[in-house]
């Protein structure tokens, strides 16, 4: 397709448009047909031949292009003479007969007025505004005829529905009259049955009164018999009570005769015990904690302390050192939580850091049996942390105004002297403070290496 140079056909089209212009908007049917023509011819143009605002729709199908780019294509066709000329050339190739007839000034009489108007709007032959106006009037006349035909069909349909409704109403009225007659007959039958039932009720009430009188007589006789039976029962119960009292007196006499010697022996034993208790109070004797074996002169084995383990350790970063410390009797491991997690896995969120550390400490507690306490800094928490401590691990958060380091030092000072207490922290102030309290500080990397084997 060869483009016209500036001042050529494009200038001529612009001049024609300036002479002939629409004085009203395109009819909606003509506009839709114009958009469809542009959408179909759109695919035969290269991207460079398209206006800038339409290039994004080059890969769309004609249907999607007409749906999403209809307004943009209509605006480009109205304002861009070059684009309109290219669309006109594509229209001449696809509809040569209609295009030739329009340019000759004699549109086919059998053609659809909307198709004629849309093609005239694109090709802009001489007198295209009149053709468009005539096509619009023809389309409006056709729409009016279709609307009139539809109105007549709707009127006929409503008349048929009215006739059917009248017939149905008549049939329904006759059915309701028949139902009313049947209901009246049913009501008369029910009234007869009701009168018969009322007579039956009266006879039943008379029979009920007779039955009540007979029942009262029988009840009075039964009450007299019950009274006589109760009197006999009371007499028999009295005799039974006398017999049971006689039997119990015999049993008590037999027990008293048999337990005289037991009573004397128990009295003597109570006397001896009370005398021993009085002698202990008189002498103020303390409870005996010694055993005979404790008086034998011998050398007892010494107990291992965290300091002894430190002397035997291979390295301060050797996990075997932590195993030796936790193997001491009643060992207590206190962990500076965030100090360990931020040393081992600082990239995780604080919640996941806590869960990962507590999971490893739970397994370590199950393996070693040592008491374990994990301390986290809670001074800046806006609300309490919702956390279920794992089995075997005590979890503590410091209160407002108290740091985790101070809480760890308080825990170390609270332990009795001589108990093996191990504190995991790389904070030098924490290590020095717990060392003064008798605890054994170890580096956080030592615990991380040990947990990596869990």
């Amino acid at each position: 397709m060869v483009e016209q140079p500036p001042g050529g056909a494009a200038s001529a089209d612009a001049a024609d448009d300036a002479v002939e212009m629409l004085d009203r908007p395109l009819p909606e049917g003509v506009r839709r047909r114009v958009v469809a023509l542009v959408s179909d011819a759109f695919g035969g143009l290269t991207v460079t031949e398209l206006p800038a605002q339409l290039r994004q729709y080059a890969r769309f199908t004609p249907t999607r292009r007409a749906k999403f780019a209809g307004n943009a294509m209509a605006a480009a066709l109205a304002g861009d003479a070059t684009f309109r000329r290219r669309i006109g050339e594509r229209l001449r190739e696809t509809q040569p007969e209609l295009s030739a007839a329009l340019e000759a000034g004699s549109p086919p009489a059998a053609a659809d007025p909307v198709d004629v108007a849309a093609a005239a709007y694109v090709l802009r032959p001489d007198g295209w505004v009149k053709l468009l106006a005539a096509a619009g009037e023809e389309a409006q006349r056709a729409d009016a005829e279709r609307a009139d035909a539809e109105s007549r069909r709707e009127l006929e349909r409503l008349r048929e529905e009215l006739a059917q409704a009248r017939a149905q109403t008549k049939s329904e009225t006759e059915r309701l009259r028949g139902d009313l007659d049947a209901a009246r007959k049913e009501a008369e039958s029910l009234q007869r049955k009701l009168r018969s039932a009322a007579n039956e009720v009266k006879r039943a009430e008379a029979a009920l009164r007779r039955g009540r009188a007979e029942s009262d007589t029988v009840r009075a006789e039964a009450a007299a018999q019950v009274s006589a039976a109760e009197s006999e029962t009371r007499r028999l119960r009295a005799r039974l009570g006398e017999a049971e009292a006689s039997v119990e007196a015999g049993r008590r006499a037999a027990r008293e005769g048999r337990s005289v010697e037991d009573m004397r022996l128990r009295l003597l034993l109570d006397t001896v015990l009370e005398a021993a208790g009085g002698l202990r109070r008189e002498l103020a004797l303390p409870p005996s904690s010694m055993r005979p074996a404790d008086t034998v002169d011998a050398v007892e084995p010494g107990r291992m302390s965290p300091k002894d383990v430190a002397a035997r350790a291979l390295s301060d970063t050797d996990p075997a050192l932590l195993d030796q410390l936790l193997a001491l009797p009643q060992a207590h491991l206190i962990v500076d939580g965030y100090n360990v997690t931020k040393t081992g896995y600082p990239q995780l969120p604080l919640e996941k850091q806590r869960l990962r550390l507590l999971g490893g400490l739970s397994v370590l507690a199950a393996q070693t049996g040592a008491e374990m306490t994990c301390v986290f800094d809670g001074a800046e928490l806006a609300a309490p942390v919702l956390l279920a401590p794992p089995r075997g691990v005590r979890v503590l958060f410091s209160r407002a105004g108290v740091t985790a380091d101070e809480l760890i030092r308080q825990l170390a000072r609270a332990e009795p002297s001589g108990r093996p207490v191990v504190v995991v922290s790389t904070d030098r102030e924490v290590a020095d403070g717990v060392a003064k309290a008798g605890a054994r500080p170890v580096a956080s990397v030592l615990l991380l290496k040990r947990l990596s084997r869990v």
Side-chain angles (χ1 to χ4, degrees), residues 393-426:
V393 181
R394 182 187 298 105
V395 181
L396 300 178
F397 287 86
S398 62
R399 295 184 180 276
V402 179
T403 63
D405 299 348
E406 180 59 29
L407 181 57
I408 291 172
R409 286 192 287 268
Q410 292 177 9
L411 290 171
R413 290 194 297 267
E415 293 293 341
S417 178
R419 183 183 183 186
V421 179
V422 182
V423 178
V424 179
S425 178
T426 54

Side-chain angles (χ1 to χ4, degrees), residues 8-241:
S11 300
D13 290 341
D16 292 342
D17 292 345
V19 174
E20 296 188 60
M21 296 183 63
L22 292 175
D23 57 354
R24 69 188 66 182
L26 283 175
E28 183 59 26
V30 176
R31 183 185 176 281
R32 287 197 299 268
R33 192 64 56 85
V34 168
V35 170
L37 289 175
V38 176
S39 178
D40 292 338
F42 202 96
L45 302 178
T46 62
V47 175
T48 57
E49 293 174 339
L50 296 174
Q53 67 272 24
L54 299 180
R55 293 174 182 175
Q56 57 180 326
Y57 306 107
R59 296 180 178 274
F60 283 29
T61 61
T63 303
R64 293 186 70 239
R65 193 180 301 128
K67 180 178 179 181
F68 295 103
N71 293 334
M73 289 190 295
L77 191 68
D80 192 336
T82 302
F83 178 64
R84 185 170 60 249
R85 179 174 52 78
R86 290 170 178 166
I87 297 298
E89 292 175 358
R90 296 292 301 174
L91 180 62
R92 292 186 185 95
E93 294 176 1
T94 56
Q95 300 185 28
E97 295 180 358
L98 178 59
S99 300
L102 286 174
E103 291 176 347
S106 57
D112 188 347
V114 176
D115 291 340
V116 173
Y121 182 77
V122 173
L123 296 174
R124 304 289 175 95
D126 293 337
W128 66 274
V129 174
K130 296 180 180 179
L131 288 175
L132 196 61
E137 294 175 357
E138 183 65 23
Q140 290 178 355
R141 185 166 53 257
D143 292 341
E145 292 176 355
R146 284 195 298 272
D148 184 49
E150 290 178 358
S151 299
R152 287 196 296 273
R153 288 194 296 271
E154 182 67 16
L155 180 61
E156 292 297 330
R157 185 182 64 81
L158 292 176
R159 286 175 178 173
E160 293 177 359
E161 290 182 357
L162 178 60
Q164 293 176 358
R166 287 176 176 174
Q168 186 176 0
T169 302
K170 183 178 180 180
S171 174
E172 186 69 16
T173 302
E174 294 176 353
R175 185 184 65 80
L176 290 176
R177 286 177 179 174
D179 293 343
L180 180 60
D181 294 339
R184 287 176 179 173
K185 294 179 180 179
E186 183 69 19
E188 293 175 356
S189 175
L190 290 176
Q191 287 178 355
R192 289 192 297 270
K193 292 180 180 180
L194 181 59
R195 288 192 293 270
S196 176
N199 295 332
E200 292 290 336
V201 168
K202 291 180 181 178
R203 288 193 292 270
E205 288 176 350
L208 179 60
R209 287 193 292 272
R210 290 194 300 271
R212 284 178 178 175
E214 295 175 358
S215 176
D216 292 339
T217 303
V218 173
R219 189 179 294 111
E221 295 176 354
Q225 294 177 359
V226 168
S227 178
E230 288 178 350
S231 299
E232 182 66 16
T233 300
R234 285 193 295 270
R235 186 180 66 80
L236 292 177
R237 284 179 178 175
R239 293 183 61 183
L240 179 60

